[in-house]
């Protein structure tokens, strides 16, 4: 306010009785200030990291100081998804569906080693080695599990990121930009991200000649029995 008074005092006459009550700022600052101090997380947890997330919202660490204590039961009312725990292949379709149901602007915070890259279960047959394989992660919080302090630091980092955004360039206000919809992954021999389907198809076709070759040269013992039959 002092700076504003100093800047505009010579140009704009300000009555003394309101001089201390005038605040000049930019749209971006007020827009980002209001958003970053009311980030409502989606209320869901996946594994042990979720316990630390719950502690963070309780009285000792008091997430309410940051305007983030309102954990929402519906993705449609949530601003930030805290992925807290092991992301299994069985669970990832649901996580992606919840993300798609969140309105823009939406953010993703990956909490803990499991969510960041698979953690101790990285080589597991049923574990996704990082939620960022499918969702756009804004902030990673390391640890197994991260402490509540670490999660708070991650959320403060997200606040800083939000402060850097401009209302003129954020994607959700651009014409014809409905927001990214992530296709729900499907389970094949492994997890299939449908956005990579062209690449997968290309690789499959690339590996076909070898297969075709092995099929076209059957062993002598099967030569007589492998004749094509018509239905
Ligand atoms: S990172 Fe560690 S504490 Fe968090 S879900 Fe994985 S195993 Fe549990």
């Amino acid at each position: 306010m002092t700076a504003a008074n100093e800047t505009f005092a010579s140009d704009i006459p300000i009555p003394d009785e309101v001089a201390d009550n005038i605040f000049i700022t930019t749209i971006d600052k007020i827009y980002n200030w209001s958003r970053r101090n009311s980030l409502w997380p989606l209320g869901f947890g996946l594994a042990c990291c979720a316990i630390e997330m719950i502690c963070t919202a309780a009285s000792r660490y008091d997430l309410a100081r940051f305007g983030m204590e309102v954990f929402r039961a519906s993705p449609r009312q949530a601003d930030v998804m805290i992925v807290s725990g092991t992301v299994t292949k069985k669970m990832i379709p649901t996580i992606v569906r919840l993300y798609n149901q969140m309105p823009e602007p939406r953010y993703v915070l990956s909490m803990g080693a499991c969510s960041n890259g698979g953690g101790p279960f990285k080589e597991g047959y049923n574990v996704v080695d990082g939620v960022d394989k499918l969702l756009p992660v804004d902030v990673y919080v390391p640890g197994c599990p991260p402490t509540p302090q670490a999660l708070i630091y991650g959320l403060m980092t997200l606040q800083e990121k939000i402060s850097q955004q401009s209302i003129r360039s954020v994607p959700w206000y651009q014409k014809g930009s409905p927001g990214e919809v992530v296709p729900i992954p499907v389970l094949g021999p492994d997890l299939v991200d449908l956005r990579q389907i062209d690449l997968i198809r290309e690789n499959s076709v690339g590996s076909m000649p070898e297969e075709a070759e092995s099929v076209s040269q059957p062993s002598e013992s099967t030569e007589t029995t492998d004749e094509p039959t018509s239905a």
Side-chain angles (χ1 to χ4, degrees):
M1 282 193 289
T2 309
N5 282 345
E6 282 169 5
T7 308
F8 294 99
S10 58
D11 301 333
I12 305 171
I14 300 173
D16 287 343
E17 62 271 24
V18 294
D20 290 335
N21 299 319
I22 290 178
F23 183 77
I24 295 172
T25 185
T26 61
I27 292 285
D28 276 346
K29 273 198 174 160
I30 200 84
Y31 173 70
N32 289 336
W33 172 82
S34 57
R35 289 192 311 123
R36 75 166 184 256
N37 290 304
S38 60
L39 282 174
W40 291 359
L42 181 60
F44 91 112
L46 296 172
C48 6
C49 276
I51 304 298
E52 301 295 322
M53 180 183 70
I54 293 163
C55 290
T56 313
S59 53
R60 185 180 176 100
Y61 298 100
D62 195 13
L63 212 48
R65 292 175 294 159
F66 303 90
M68 298 176 190
E69 79 282 16
V70 194
F71 277 74
R72 304 310 297 173
S74 165
R76 293 182 174 82
Q77 298 167 355
D79 303 300
V80 55
M81 171 183 267
I82 301 174
V83 185
S84 54
T86 317
V87 182
T88 59
K89 290 176 183 169
K90 186 176 181 183
M91 200 62 194
I92 192 71
T94 309
I95 296 171
V96 169
R97 187 174 291 119
L98 288 169
Y99 174 79
N100 284 337
Q101 289 174 346
M102 288 169 66
E104 293 278 12
R106 58 189 169 182
Y107 302 92
V108 177
L109 184 146
S110 173
M111 178 183 182
C114 282
S115 175
N116 291 347
F121 313 109
K122 185 174 171 58
E123 303 298 334
Y125 70 94
N126 62 335
V127 171
V128 180
D129 54 351
V131 74
D132 60 359
K133 294 281 181 297
L134 291 144
L135 297 185
V137 173
D138 294 285
V139 176
Y140 297 85
V141 179
C144 178
T147 58
Q149 293 94 328
L151 177 57
I152 287 175
Y153 185 72
L155 288 166
M156 288 165 70
T157 305
L158 180 59
Q159 285 185 316
E160 278 171 31
K161 184 171 181 175
I162 292 171
S163 299
Q164 306 303 320
Q165 294 184 312
S166 169
I167 200 168
R168 285 166 299 176
S169 58
V170 286
W172 51 90
Y173 287 144
Q174 305 305 312
K175 267 190 184 169
S177 166
E180 187 192 8
V181 177
V182 180
I184 310 259
V186 292
L187 273 171
D190 201 348
L191 197 67
V192 177
D193 180 358
L194 295 178
R195 290 170 298 185
Q196 309 290 331
I197 201 72
D198 287 339
L199 186 65
I200 294 167
R201 193 170 288 136
E202 207 173 283
N203 288 342
S204 306
V205 170
S207 66
M208 275 181 76
E210 278 179 27
E211 268 180 40
E213 209 172 303
S214 65
V215 169
S216 67
Q217 294 176 348
S219 63
E220 282 185 9
S221 60
T222 58
E223 214 169 344
T224 52
T225 56
D226 279 348
E227 284 177 11
T229 53
S230 57

Short mmCIF file of all heavy atoms in Angstrom, two decimals, residues 47-49 85-86 112-114 120-121 143-146, ligand 1:
data_model
loop_
_atom_site.label_atom_id
_atom_site.label_comp_id
_atom_site.label_asym_id
_atom_site.label_seq_id
_atom_site.Cartn_x
_atom_site.Cartn_y
_atom_site.Cartn_z
N ALA A 47 -2.39 -46.06 0.21
CA ALA A 47 -1.64 -47.00 1.06
C ALA A 47 -1.09 -46.24 2.27
O ALA A 47 -1.66 -45.23 2.69
CB ALA A 47 -0.54 -47.69 0.26
N CYS A 48 0.05 -46.71 2.80
CA CYS A 48 0.58 -46.15 4.06
C CYS A 48 0.79 -44.64 4.01
O CYS A 48 0.62 -43.95 5.02
CB CYS A 48 1.88 -46.85 4.44
SG CYS A 48 2.55 -48.00 3.26
N CYS A 49 1.19 -44.10 2.86
CA CYS A 49 1.39 -42.65 2.75
C CYS A 49 0.12 -41.88 3.13
O CYS A 49 0.19 -40.74 3.59
CB CYS A 49 1.79 -42.28 1.33
SG CYS A 49 3.54 -42.46 1.01
N GLY A 85 0.36 -43.11 -1.97
CA GLY A 85 0.46 -44.54 -1.78
C GLY A 85 0.80 -45.28 -3.05
O GLY A 85 1.04 -44.69 -4.11
N THR A 86 0.79 -46.60 -2.94
CA THR A 86 1.16 -47.46 -4.06
C THR A 86 0.07 -47.43 -5.12
O THR A 86 -1.11 -47.65 -4.82
CB THR A 86 1.33 -48.92 -3.56
OG1 THR A 86 2.04 -48.88 -2.32
CG2 THR A 86 2.06 -49.76 -4.55
N GLY A 112 5.26 -39.61 -2.03
CA GLY A 112 5.93 -40.84 -1.62
C GLY A 112 6.59 -41.60 -2.76
O GLY A 112 6.27 -41.41 -3.94
N ALA A 113 7.51 -42.47 -2.37
CA ALA A 113 8.32 -43.21 -3.34
C ALA A 113 7.46 -44.08 -4.26
O ALA A 113 7.74 -44.20 -5.45
CB ALA A 113 9.33 -44.08 -2.60
N CYS A 114 6.39 -44.67 -3.72
CA CYS A 114 5.55 -45.55 -4.54
C CYS A 114 4.90 -44.78 -5.68
O CYS A 114 4.94 -45.18 -6.84
CB CYS A 114 4.45 -46.18 -3.69
SG CYS A 114 5.03 -47.54 -2.70
N PRO A 120 9.30 -49.37 -3.16
CA PRO A 120 9.83 -50.71 -2.89
C PRO A 120 9.16 -51.80 -3.72
O PRO A 120 9.64 -52.92 -3.78
CB PRO A 120 9.56 -50.91 -1.39
CG PRO A 120 8.60 -49.86 -1.00
CD PRO A 120 8.66 -48.77 -1.99
N PHE A 121 8.05 -51.46 -4.36
CA PHE A 121 7.32 -52.47 -5.15
C PHE A 121 7.53 -52.29 -6.65
O PHE A 121 6.77 -52.79 -7.46
CB PHE A 121 5.83 -52.41 -4.83
CG PHE A 121 5.55 -52.35 -3.36
CD1 PHE A 121 5.07 -51.20 -2.78
CD2 PHE A 121 5.80 -53.45 -2.56
CE1 PHE A 121 4.83 -51.14 -1.41
CE2 PHE A 121 5.56 -53.40 -1.20
CZ PHE A 121 5.08 -52.24 -0.62
N GLY A 143 10.13 -39.62 -0.24
CA GLY A 143 10.06 -40.19 1.11
C GLY A 143 9.27 -41.48 1.12
O GLY A 143 8.49 -41.76 0.22
N CYS A 144 9.49 -42.28 2.16
CA CYS A 144 8.77 -43.55 2.29
C CYS A 144 8.49 -43.83 3.76
O CYS A 144 9.22 -44.57 4.40
CB CYS A 144 9.57 -44.69 1.67
SG CYS A 144 8.78 -46.31 1.83
N PRO A 145 7.47 -43.24 4.33
CA PRO A 145 6.59 -42.23 3.72
C PRO A 145 7.16 -40.84 3.96
O PRO A 145 7.94 -40.64 4.88
CB PRO A 145 5.29 -42.40 4.52
CG PRO A 145 5.77 -42.80 5.89
CD PRO A 145 7.00 -43.62 5.68
N PRO A 146 6.72 -39.85 3.18
CA PRO A 146 7.09 -38.47 3.49
C PRO A 146 6.43 -38.07 4.81
O PRO A 146 5.33 -38.52 5.12
CB PRO A 146 6.49 -37.66 2.33
CG PRO A 146 6.16 -38.66 1.28
CD PRO A 146 5.89 -39.95 1.98
S1 LIG B 1 6.12 -44.79 -0.30
FE1 LIG B 1 6.48 -46.12 1.49
S2 LIG B 1 5.00 -45.39 2.99
FE2 LIG B 1 4.32 -44.58 0.99
S3 LIG B 1 2.87 -46.10 0.21
FE3 LIG B 1 4.88 -46.65 -0.58
S4 LIG B 1 5.68 -48.16 0.91
FE4 LIG B 1 3.99 -47.07 1.90
#
